[in-house]
Amino acid sequence: MNKPYCKILISSCFLGNKVRYDGQAKVINHPVIALWQQQNRLVPVCPEVSGGLSVPRSPAEIQGETGKVLTCDGKDVTRAFLQGAEHALAVCRNHNIQFALLKESSPSCGSQLIYDGTFSGRKINGQGVCSQVLSANGIAVYSEVSIEKLIAVIAHQDSLT
Ligand code: SF4
């Protein structure tokens, strides 16, 4: 019987799926990804697509402390972002997932940085909507920037099973 590896939620665009606002993927280039795929650990989600947004779509940014998410053409997409975040949380609960590897700086997936809401390319400290919801519910969120920390945590988890 195969060892029951703990699962990891992962941004779908990291795995080559063309789900980003611009219709592209954002493949993560790290050898551990192939290993984790082989171990059947990775559960992909794109919160924006599962929240009902299309591909491609207008870029959106969180508007300061209001928490609202607006597209660059002024459409309020907050509800779709929240629905996508809730869907990601439900996926975590279904798979008993405690760890997520999400794309940094995305208004959904960013865990340390987000764009500042002015569509000027400036980043500020903050979390995307999905990342906020997952963190608030006890899921530890990592990004491509902090992947080495996640690798260490997963190795530790494996040593306990
Ligand atoms: S919402 Fe997350 S998974 Fe979807 S395209 Fe953006 S960064 Fe990737």
Side-chain angles (χ1 to χ4, degrees), residues 11-13 19-20 45-48 57 103 106 108-109:
S11 288
S12 179
C13 58
V19 290
R20 276 167 47 102
V45 293
C46 174
E48 291 174 23
R57 55 191 173 275
K103 176 76 190 78
S106 147
S108 286
C109 292

PDB file of all heavy atoms in Angstrom, residues 11-13 19-20 45-48 57 103 106 108-109, ligand 1:
ATOM      1  N   SER A  11      -1.454  26.591  -6.413  1.00  0.00           N
ATOM      2  CA  SER A  11      -2.021  27.454  -7.456  1.00  0.00           C
ATOM      3  C   SER A  11      -1.971  26.724  -8.789  1.00  0.00           C
ATOM      4  O   SER A  11      -0.904  26.281  -9.231  1.00  0.00           O
ATOM      5  CB  SER A  11      -1.216  28.748  -7.577  1.00  0.00           C
ATOM      6  OG  SER A  11      -1.428  29.585  -6.480  1.00  0.00           O
ATOM      7  N   SER A  12      -3.111  26.634  -9.426  1.00  0.00           N
ATOM      8  CA  SER A  12      -3.219  25.896 -10.683  1.00  0.00           C
ATOM      9  C   SER A  12      -2.250  26.405 -11.749  1.00  0.00           C
ATOM     10  O   SER A  12      -1.666  25.620 -12.510  1.00  0.00           O
ATOM     11  CB  SER A  12      -4.668  26.018 -11.162  1.00  0.00           C
ATOM     12  OG  SER A  12      -4.853  25.369 -12.360  1.00  0.00           O
ATOM     13  N   CYS A  13      -2.043  27.721 -11.789  1.00  0.00           N
ATOM     14  CA  CYS A  13      -1.153  28.293 -12.814  1.00  0.00           C
ATOM     15  C   CYS A  13       0.285  27.820 -12.651  1.00  0.00           C
ATOM     16  O   CYS A  13       1.050  27.776 -13.616  1.00  0.00           O
ATOM     17  CB  CYS A  13      -1.227  29.821 -12.798  1.00  0.00           C
ATOM     18  SG  CYS A  13      -0.810  30.557 -11.206  1.00  0.00           S
ATOM     19  N   VAL A  19      -4.627  29.697 -16.626  1.00  0.00           N
ATOM     20  CA  VAL A  19      -5.804  30.226 -15.926  1.00  0.00           C
ATOM     21  C   VAL A  19      -5.614  31.655 -15.445  1.00  0.00           C
ATOM     22  O   VAL A  19      -6.511  32.229 -14.829  1.00  0.00           O
ATOM     23  CB  VAL A  19      -6.174  29.320 -14.724  1.00  0.00           C
ATOM     24  CG1 VAL A  19      -6.728  27.994 -15.199  1.00  0.00           C
ATOM     25  CG2 VAL A  19      -4.976  29.105 -13.789  1.00  0.00           C
ATOM     26  N   ARG A  20      -4.444  32.239 -15.730  1.00  0.00           N
ATOM     27  CA  ARG A  20      -4.211  33.605 -15.245  1.00  0.00           C
ATOM     28  C   ARG A  20      -5.087  34.611 -15.988  1.00  0.00           C
ATOM     29  O   ARG A  20      -5.616  34.331 -17.059  1.00  0.00           O
ATOM     30  CB  ARG A  20      -2.736  33.977 -15.441  1.00  0.00           C
ATOM     31  CG  ARG A  20      -1.852  33.495 -14.298  1.00  0.00           C
ATOM     32  CD  ARG A  20      -0.397  33.581 -14.663  1.00  0.00           C
ATOM     33  NE  ARG A  20      -0.050  34.857 -15.260  1.00  0.00           N
ATOM     34  CZ  ARG A  20       0.563  35.854 -14.626  1.00  0.00           C
ATOM     35  NH1 ARG A  20       0.884  35.729 -13.350  1.00  0.00           N
ATOM     36  NH2 ARG A  20       0.862  36.963 -15.260  1.00  0.00           N
ATOM     37  N   VAL A  45      -5.802  24.399  -7.490  1.00  0.00           N
ATOM     38  CA  VAL A  45      -6.997  25.242  -7.537  1.00  0.00           C
ATOM     39  C   VAL A  45      -6.608  26.577  -8.169  1.00  0.00           C
ATOM     40  O   VAL A  45      -5.485  27.038  -8.029  1.00  0.00           O
ATOM     41  CB  VAL A  45      -7.606  25.570  -6.145  1.00  0.00           C
ATOM     42  CG1 VAL A  45      -8.179  24.354  -5.464  1.00  0.00           C
ATOM     43  CG2 VAL A  45      -6.619  26.284  -5.258  1.00  0.00           C
ATOM     44  N   CYS A  46      -7.571  27.174  -8.858  1.00  0.00           N
ATOM     45  CA  CYS A  46      -7.451  28.578  -9.237  1.00  0.00           C
ATOM     46  C   CYS A  46      -8.666  29.258  -8.614  1.00  0.00           C
ATOM     47  O   CYS A  46      -9.781  29.129  -9.127  1.00  0.00           O
ATOM     48  CB  CYS A  46      -7.451  28.793 -10.748  1.00  0.00           C
ATOM     49  SG  CYS A  46      -7.467  30.574 -11.114  1.00  0.00           S
ATOM     50  N   PRO A  47      -8.480  29.975  -7.528  1.00  0.00           N
ATOM     51  CA  PRO A  47      -9.639  30.557  -6.845  1.00  0.00           C
ATOM     52  C   PRO A  47     -10.427  31.521  -7.719  1.00  0.00           C
ATOM     53  O   PRO A  47     -11.654  31.594  -7.576  1.00  0.00           O
ATOM     54  CB  PRO A  47      -9.021  31.297  -5.651  1.00  0.00           C
ATOM     55  CG  PRO A  47      -7.617  30.847  -5.536  1.00  0.00           C
ATOM     56  CD  PRO A  47      -7.219  30.240  -6.833  1.00  0.00           C
ATOM     57  N   GLU A  48      -9.760  32.222  -8.597  1.00  0.00           N
ATOM     58  CA  GLU A  48     -10.496  33.205  -9.416  1.00  0.00           C
ATOM     59  C   GLU A  48     -11.402  32.496 -10.424  1.00  0.00           C
ATOM     60  O   GLU A  48     -12.551  32.903 -10.635  1.00  0.00           O
ATOM     61  CB  GLU A  48      -9.517  34.172 -10.084  1.00  0.00           C
ATOM     62  CG  GLU A  48      -8.866  35.069  -9.035  1.00  0.00           C
ATOM     63  CD  GLU A  48      -7.765  35.977  -9.550  1.00  0.00           C
ATOM     64  OE1 GLU A  48      -7.730  36.293 -10.755  1.00  0.00           O
ATOM     65  OE2 GLU A  48      -6.919  36.380  -8.725  1.00  0.00           O
ATOM     66  N   ARG A  57      -9.322  37.571 -18.230  1.00  0.00           N
ATOM     67  CA  ARG A  57     -10.192  38.489 -17.481  1.00  0.00           C
ATOM     68  C   ARG A  57      -9.415  39.766 -17.202  1.00  0.00           C
ATOM     69  O   ARG A  57      -8.185  39.776 -17.279  1.00  0.00           O
ATOM     70  CB  ARG A  57     -10.651  37.839 -16.159  1.00  0.00           C
ATOM     71  CG  ARG A  57      -9.500  37.361 -15.283  1.00  0.00           C
ATOM     72  CD  ARG A  57      -9.992  36.508 -14.130  1.00  0.00           C
ATOM     73  NE  ARG A  57      -8.883  35.891 -13.373  1.00  0.00           N
ATOM     74  CZ  ARG A  57      -8.302  34.750 -13.708  1.00  0.00           C
ATOM     75  NH1 ARG A  57      -8.671  34.084 -14.781  1.00  0.00           N
ATOM     76  NH2 ARG A  57      -7.304  34.261 -12.974  1.00  0.00           N
ATOM     77  N   LYS A 103       0.760  31.369  -5.570  1.00  0.00           N
ATOM     78  CA  LYS A 103       1.535  32.359  -6.334  1.00  0.00           C
ATOM     79  C   LYS A 103       1.622  33.698  -5.601  1.00  0.00           C
ATOM     80  O   LYS A 103       0.588  34.298  -5.278  1.00  0.00           O
ATOM     81  CB  LYS A 103       0.847  32.546  -7.694  1.00  0.00           C
ATOM     82  CG  LYS A 103       1.467  33.603  -8.566  1.00  0.00           C
ATOM     83  CD  LYS A 103       2.745  33.113  -9.186  1.00  0.00           C
ATOM     84  CE  LYS A 103       3.506  34.238  -9.868  1.00  0.00           C
ATOM     85  NZ  LYS A 103       4.248  35.120  -8.940  1.00  0.00           N
ATOM     86  N   SER A 106      -0.373  37.703  -6.198  1.00  0.00           N
ATOM     87  CA  SER A 106      -1.708  37.667  -6.819  1.00  0.00           C
ATOM     88  C   SER A 106      -2.747  38.215  -5.831  1.00  0.00           C
ATOM     89  O   SER A 106      -2.621  38.002  -4.624  1.00  0.00           O
ATOM     90  CB  SER A 106      -2.039  36.209  -7.173  1.00  0.00           C
ATOM     91  OG  SER A 106      -3.415  35.955  -7.042  1.00  0.00           O
ATOM     92  N   SER A 108      -5.538  37.056  -5.283  1.00  0.00           N
ATOM     93  CA  SER A 108      -6.129  35.896  -4.601  1.00  0.00           C
ATOM     94  C   SER A 108      -5.073  35.139  -3.806  1.00  0.00           C
ATOM     95  O   SER A 108      -5.266  34.811  -2.642  1.00  0.00           O
ATOM     96  CB  SER A 108      -6.729  34.913  -5.613  1.00  0.00           C
ATOM     97  OG  SER A 108      -7.917  35.403  -6.136  1.00  0.00           O
ATOM     98  N   CYS A 109      -3.975  34.832  -4.480  1.00  0.00           N
ATOM     99  CA  CYS A 109      -3.024  33.846  -3.950  1.00  0.00           C
ATOM    100  C   CYS A 109      -1.844  34.439  -3.185  1.00  0.00           C
ATOM    101  O   CYS A 109      -1.146  33.703  -2.479  1.00  0.00           O
ATOM    102  CB  CYS A 109      -2.500  32.982  -5.096  1.00  0.00           C
ATOM    103  SG  CYS A 109      -3.757  31.900  -5.815  1.00  0.00           S
TER     104      CYS A 109
HETATM  105  S1  SF4 B   1      -5.846  33.154  -8.903  1.00  0.00           S
HETATM  106 FE1  SF4 B   1      -4.032  32.075  -8.136  1.00  0.00          FE
HETATM  107  S2  SF4 B   1      -4.122  30.110  -9.251  1.00  0.00           S
HETATM  108 FE2  SF4 B   1      -5.471  31.499 -10.349  1.00  0.00          FE
HETATM  109  S3  SF4 B   1      -4.178  32.378 -11.937  1.00  0.00           S
HETATM  110 FE3  SF4 B   1      -4.105  33.775 -10.180  1.00  0.00          FE
HETATM  111  S4  SF4 B   1      -2.288  33.140  -9.043  1.00  0.00           S
HETATM  112 FE4  SF4 B   1      -2.806  31.467 -10.424  1.00  0.00          FE
END
